[in-house]
């Protein structure tokens, strides 16, 4: 029977650790979650981040701005949050509307408050192998694999998907763990031949059931980052038929998802401690 790796269980252990740390701090770490417009997915993600942060006892607020907010106005808000001594973490929910440059916004966030780990300064430190604020989903995946004692050293790891949010930073983290890392993507030739080499296969493409059983090496560890709504059901990038072949897999929902928010809060606490000393 393959091992089902449950994100809620691992996230709980992260929250337990964070509560212990928070008990020792003479201040309350503060997170600001900024959203433009009311795309349903973004509303739901930002609400969840805020709710979990408050449940943990952080000072958290969603700053919801109209979709028409100009780039200059958003940059001004970020400057204000950068200057605010009481704010430890700033997250701007992506994607942003077309009239706002995501890179200009990300680069405006003070690296010390960049709890998403998306600022080029933090990205550079990540690839240099330095301690940094790590992007939440990749950090959550590593935390989960560690929790279930999945060995990474020397393993063939294949990531399908090259986004700045998941694929690329996860490649850096897996490399740091001495895995042999391949990043495959939509232009990869003979993708199935590549994925069948994977001892650890991570799917982060956002295409429902894209990875079929025929693309999986028997005994592989499967990590599914995808979450799509199909006929009112949440499905991942990996066809559940492939789970049977695996040693361990993450379900959708209830796999990687809960880890992203847990690591965001871990980053907020880390950012607070680093900045406040
Ligand atoms: N949109 C989808 N995932 C993320 C994330 O991890 N952070 C932000 N800021 N936006 C996202």
């Amino acid at each position: 029977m393959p091992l089902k790796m449950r994100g809620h269980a691992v996230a709980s252990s992260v929250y337990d650790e964070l509560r212990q740390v928070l008990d020792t701090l003479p201040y309350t770490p503060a997170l600001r979650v900024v959203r433009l417009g009311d795309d349903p997915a973004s509303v739901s993600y930002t609400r969840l981040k805020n709710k979990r942060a408050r449940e943990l006892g952080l000072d958290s607020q969603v700053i919801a701005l109209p979709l028409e907010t100009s780039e200059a106005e958003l940059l001004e808000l970020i400057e204000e949050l950068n200057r605010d001594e009481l704010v430890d973490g700033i997250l701007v929910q992506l994607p942003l509307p077309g009239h706002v440059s995501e890179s200009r916004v990300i680069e405006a966030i003070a690296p010390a408050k960049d709890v998403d780990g998306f600022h080029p300064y933090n990205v550079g430190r990540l690839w240099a192998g330095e301690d940094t604020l790590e992007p939440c989903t990749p950090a959550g995946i590593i935390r989960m694999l560690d929790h279930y004692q999945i060995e990474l050293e020397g393993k063939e790891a294949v990531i399908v998907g090259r986004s700045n949010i998941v694929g690329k930073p996860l490649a850096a983290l897996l490399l740091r763990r001495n895995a042999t890392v391949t990043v495959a993507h939509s232009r990869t030739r003979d993708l199935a031949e590549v994925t069948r080499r994977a001892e650890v296969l991570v799917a982060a493409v956002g295409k429902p059931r894209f990875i079929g059983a025929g693309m999986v090496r028997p005994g592989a560890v499967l990590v599914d980052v995808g979450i799509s709504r199909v006929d009112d059901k949440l499905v991942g990038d990996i066809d559940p038929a492939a789970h049977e072949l695996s040693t361990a897999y993450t379900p959708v929902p209830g796999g990687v998802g809960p880890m992203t928010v847990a690591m965001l809060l871990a980053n907020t606490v880390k950012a607070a401690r680093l900045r406040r000393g």
Side-chain angles (χ1 to χ4, degrees), residues 49 91-95 116 118 137 165 260:
K49 289 168 182 175
L91 178 148
V92 179
Q93 186 66 25
L94 305 177
D116 263 327
F118 294 165
T137 302
I165 295 179
T260 298

